[in-house]
Amino acid sequence: MDEPIKITRQKRLFDISPEMANVCLTCGACSSGCPATGLVPGWDPRKAIRAIVLGMEQEVVDSKWPWVCTLCGRCQYVCPMGVLLLKTFRACRIARDRDKVPGPLQKGTDMCFERGNNLGIPKDDFLFLLADMSTEVEEDEETPMPGFHVPVDKEGANVIITINSKEPFGEPDDMIFWWKIFYAAKESWTVSSENWEGVNWGLFSGDDANMKIQCERVLENARRLKCKTLVYPE
Amino acid sequence: MEYIKDGRLNIDKTKHQMPTTVHDPCNYGRKSYMTFGDHHADNIRWITKQCIDEEHYREMVDSPLNNLCCGAGGGAWALPYDEERLAYGKYKSDQIKATGAELVVTPCHNCRDQIMKGLAKEHDLGNYKETMYLWELVAESLIIEPWNDEEVAKGHAERDAQNEKFEIDLDQEW
């Protein structure tokens, strides 16, 4: 007969209490309610949690599972025993070597750290685009907004808004929705000239240090410009 | 929401006369509740119903906290697993179809892109015609009054000072 597995705190990839093996009742509520169940052969939330508590963290970390899981939190919400599944699966992303993070996630995270936005849009191009579009919007045939411009680095503005870099990069007209609302409401608002990125890829890539830096930058912009309200439409 | 409550926006409800439903992003519903003990599902619906007539609203879920992810959460757009992302969204597609809605409103970039650019092409969404950001629905429902001369002059002065500060020359060739 095989020896029973001994679960200890030693040699764990991340901080999992050995008691977790008993806390999880293997009821499968997590897997039943998970739209990702069946998408990665061999894995679902229940199996991944069992593997992790039994000391097979590395297998889960190396698998596609933590990345096909969208971190929606439904498993953790329904777990009758309060197992922190969402937190554990994100810990699996953190445990991936940075050069093995799939797709452009980590590249975008690093780009944001270096250049202030995920796609590396230069400051001059960004400011020119906003100024150029402001003129077009003012004279728009359907809904003209005379007097409109995008206020950049306006100190003391009531509202500061972040921007999803995909918009200046590929869907610039989508920025106009917020501009129309601010114009109609006659709001005092602004955009920062730097670190205006409204997407935090460190959250998804499992890069906590960069995630915090990104949060701090967004808050710092609001503090520097003395804005009362931060709008983060992501 | 404040703008609407304070009467700062003039909204024309007749612009979007079509069956409409709301998709709750995980972050504004369930995960907000799990993290902060409060969520925004009611606010999303309230704002939507300021822009469309109540009779056009179709509810998608019994509980917003138990809602299904669209399939594009967790940075899925920047991951190489498109096949899984679209298969994941089959459940959301069926939910949208069951509402009979033509318009899906959602306040999230990932959800909007997944429903508009992913699910609408991959799955049968029934009556579905379009997806809008919540702020897009508000912006496109507005009756925008042009500012008066004084306000326009002030705006232009601020704009000119700003362009000078950042050395932006709109006439230059690119």
Side-chain angles (χ1 to χ4, degrees), chain B residues 36-37 39 54 66 75 81 111 113 115 128-129 153 169 171 174:
Chain B
F36 304 112
H39 64 87
E54 177 93 30
N66 195 29
Y81 306 125
C111 301
D113 285 355
I115 297 166
Y128 169 87
K129 288 200 178 106
D169 178 6
D171 296 325
W174 280 67

Side-chain angles (χ1 to χ4, degrees), chain A residues 76-128:
Chain A
Q76 185 169 317
Y77 180 69
V78 300
C79 177
M81 294 302 286
V83 175
L84 301 178
L85 293 100
L86 166 61
K87 215 174 168 185
T88 306
F89 295 148
R90 186 165 177 280
C92 293
R93 291 194 181 195
I94 297 171
R96 259 285 169 106
D97 287 342
R98 288 302 93 193
D99 59 357
K100 287 185 183 143
V101 171
L105 259 186
Q106 189 59 37
K107 204 179 143 206
T109 308
D110 295 339
M111 179 70 88
C112 192
F113 174 70
E114 281 161 30
R115 297 175 67 172
N117 64 83
N118 294 349
L119 298 167
I121 300 169
K123 182 177 174 179
D124 287 352
D125 292 359
F126 176 67
L127 295 179
F128 184 85

Side-chain angles (χ1 to χ4, degrees), chain B residues 136-151:
Chain B
E136 176 179 3
L137 176 67
V138 174
E140 297 302 306
S141 302
L142 289 174
I143 300 168
I144 298 179
E145 301 288 343
W147 289 356
N148 65 36
D149 291 347
E150 199 185 320
E151 288 162 341

